[in-house]
Amino acid sequence: MKLRIIFLLTIIGSASWAQNNTENTATLIQIWGFLKYNHPRVASGVLDWDSEFIQKLNKIEQNPNDEAVNEVYLEWLGNLKKPTPCLSCPTVKVSQYPGNVVVDWSSQASLSSEVKNQLNYILENRNVGKNYYVQFHQKTKLPLFNNERKITSNGLPSSQQRLLALARYWNAIQYFYPYKHLMSSDWNRVLLETIPLVQGALTDLEFQLALVQMNKVLANSNAFVASELIFEKIGRKKIPFKIENIQDHWTVVKYENDSLAKQGVLQLGDVIVEIDGTNIAQLVAEKETWISASNAQSLKSSLGATLLNGESDTVSLQVIRQGEVLNLSQKRFPIADYYWESESEQTQLPWKIIDDKTIWLRVKDLQFDQFNTFQTVATSKRNLILDLRDYNVPSGFKLAEYLVPRSKAFAQMVEPNSSYVGKFDQIVRKNEIPVVKKFFTGTTYVLIDEKTRGQAELLTMLFKGSDRINLIGKRTSGTVGYTTKLVLPGDISVFFTGVGIQNAEGGEVQQQGIQPDINMDIPLADENQISNDVLQALQKQ
């Protein structure tokens, strides 16, 4: 009986020690990041701040009781020197944006009042000038992390390096991610949950998976973790066919590269049942582990782009074609080959004249040097159908100058406040009217769906509500903003939104998307058939 009691007390004690260790590590990560972006001396870059993290981590792990930990912090803060009073700090204007960070040390029960007071003083007299660890793009205000040191490793990084990677990433999101208020989980809670996973990782794959799972909390298709290992899991070779989830069936819907597709065995309308002997439902579950998405429809779109990816040169497929089950072998191509276009494809125009009244335009293929020619051709038409079902819009805002005849506020840019790290400014964005006013006088029909994301989604915001422009199709991706990059120890990069975008009224577009004016299932057909279906559907409205 005594042995059982001793055994239970040992387990309880070990669990209590582990929880205390996790909480101490989380507090260190939070203080380290706070000082990195707020203390003037740290922000100057004169200290090796990564080494400072590891040194303090070692001290705290050696003596984790509250009194000893607070002594570590007081010694640390004393060595950094007390910042001189910041006369401009009280005058910095702060918006009421819901994603603003509220730094509150009062909830840290383990910290002494003296440590809390010193941290609060630093916040009141924070760095408001240049910061070595973050710069802001002159035009877009996108936060850039160009001075983060690259730390390589052969295989699994050390426990200290893994926690340093977590500290870098967690704090970058804490202070520079504009959509934190849209997360389904509290970011502080996510830190506590991720620390044991990072510490306990036995392989490089387990470590990176912990970062991926943490990243998925952002619920953002533009936020992802990138490494050679993750690229390998997703697959660096792909087939030249596009598949989509149609009524719960993964179906081949188009050729992604006509030249390479000619070497393929798939046909439009084929339903994929198995991939390399694995049921497609099981493979979907495996791929979902590595993919971040803004919402369910964006996840399906991303899965459609990666499900058939792999590392081998060929993939074995079981498909259903017109009711018949077939077993096929399809060739894969490296990504570089996949985006190669034949000479005929390079010369193909991105627009197509449907009839004497209607012209079709693939916005993703319209290059800047083609715009004047397109404008000349389109001027005589009454109907312009824009296919905006993509993220790439190389001439999108030049096109907007032709289609939107009046200036209007169409979005609010959510930019980081460089004088108060963790706060954001909401800046109204208006479209520009060209000096030479030559506008399209017909009606424009813009096709959108879950593949409309990023810059294409911003362009959709400008089109919505404009004169003689109708949005047709399905809700857009809900993935808007400008993306930045941060390097982590272990040859890992993370990407996330650094400048957010709301609609003109300050409403959320991220995760929500933009609703079309007319909901419509756009058929899987060529430009002529889609144009006819769209115009006929509009006549019935």
Side-chain angles (χ1 to χ4, degrees), residues 39 78 172 179 183 209 221 250 267 273 297 334 381 432 474:
H39 196 291
Y179 298 136
M183 295 182 189
L209 180 58
S221 299
W250 291 97
Q267 295 182 10
V273 179
Q297 64 173 10
K381 305 301 179 184
E432 298 179 1
K474 296 297 181 182

Side-chain angles (χ1 to χ4, degrees), residues 278-320:
T278 301
N279 180 276
I280 195 162
Q282 180 182 338
L283 192 61
V284 165
E286 293 174 3
K287 290 277 188 178
E288 281 182 357
T289 302
W290 300 97
I291 296 176
S292 300
S294 300
N295 47 49
Q297 64 173 10
S298 294
L299 177 59
K300 287 183 178 180
S301 179
S302 296
L303 285 168
T306 58
L307 265 178
L308 295 175
N309 289 14
E311 292 292 290
S312 62
D313 291 334
T314 59
V315 55
S316 298
L317 301 171
Q318 186 177 94
V319 306
I320 298 176

Side-chain angles (χ1 to χ4, degrees), residues 47-226:
L47 301 172
D48 184 343
W49 204 237
D50 289 345
S51 294
E52 289 282 331
F53 175 82
I54 291 175
Q55 290 170 13
K56 302 307 178 285
L57 178 66
N58 286 336
K59 288 186 176 182
I60 290 172
E61 287 180 342
Q62 289 169 7
N63 197 350
N65 69 75
D66 288 353
E67 183 178 352
V69 170
N70 277 289
E71 284 299 321
V72 170
Y73 290 142
L74 288 173
E75 180 184 8
W76 196 15
L77 294 171
N79 291 336
L80 291 177
K81 302 293 185 354
K82 186 177 181 179
T84 57
C86 175
L87 300 180
S88 63
C89 287
T91 64
V92 174
K93 293 183 179 180
V94 177
S95 73
Q96 298 302 310
Y97 181 65
N100 283 342
V101 174
V102 178
V103 178
D104 181 16
W105 299 109
S106 64
S107 61
Q108 300 280 5
S110 64
L111 293 181
S112 68
S113 59
E114 189 175 356
V115 171
K116 293 177 183 178
N117 289 337
Q118 290 197 35
L119 293 174
N120 288 331
Y121 176 84
I122 292 169
L123 181 62
E124 292 170 358
N125 299 278
R126 64 193 173 274
N127 179 68
V128 293
K130 292 183 178 179
N131 190 308
Y132 176 78
Y133 295 103
V134 60
Q135 306 81 43
F136 299 94
H137 189 278
Q138 186 174 3
K139 185 177 180 181
T140 65
K141 305 305 179 185
L142 182 71
L144 305 170
F145 306 92
N146 296 325
N147 291 328
E148 292 288 4
R149 186 176 58 181
K150 291 185 178 181
I151 302 175
T152 60
S153 64
N154 294 321
L156 179 67
S158 68
S159 176
Q160 296 171 333
Q161 289 179 340
R162 298 197 301 272
L163 287 172
L164 174 60
L166 175 59
R168 277 193 197 177
Y169 185 30
W170 187 89
N171 280 291
I173 297 299
Q174 170 74 350
Y175 292 105
F176 301 104
Y177 184 61
Y179 298 136
K180 214 151 82 299
H181 61 293
L182 300 180
M183 295 182 189
S184 58
S185 300
D186 177 75
W187 193 233
N188 293 310
R189 172 54 54 184
V190 172
L191 178 61
L192 288 169
E193 293 171 350
T194 307
I195 287 171
L197 300 178
V198 168
Q199 285 181 314
L202 299 178
T203 65
D204 204 9
L205 186 64
E206 286 184 11
F207 164 51
Q208 295 191 27
L209 180 58
L211 295 179
V212 169
Q213 295 304 309
M214 174 180 167
N215 175 79
K216 292 181 75 169
V217 174
L218 276 59
N220 187 338
S221 299
N222 277 345
F224 56 94
V225 183

Side-chain angles (χ1 to χ4, degrees), residues 315-377:
V315 55
S316 298
L317 301 171
Q318 186 177 94
V319 306
I320 298 176
R321 180 181 296 167
Q322 297 178 347
E324 182 181 359
V325 177
L326 301 175
N327 292 301
L328 307 172
S329 179
Q330 168 64 49
K331 187 175 181 181
R332 288 190 179 115
F333 300 89
I335 299 296
D337 293 349
Y338 177 81
Y339 288 109
W340 173 84
E341 292 180 335
S342 68
E343 193 172 315
S344 62
E345 289 170 329
Q346 292 175 13
T347 58
Q348 186 178 9
L349 293 174
W351 61 84
K352 182 177 183 180
I353 297 175
I354 304 301
D355 54 38
D356 59 345
K357 297 179 182 179
T358 306
I359 186 170
W360 171 287
L361 175 66
R362 296 187 308 278
V363 180
K364 72 181 183 70
D365 294 327
L366 180 65
Q367 303 303 314
F368 198 83
D369 59 1
Q370 297 175 307
F371 179 78
N372 289 338
T373 304
F374 164 74
Q375 189 178 40
T376 301
V377 175

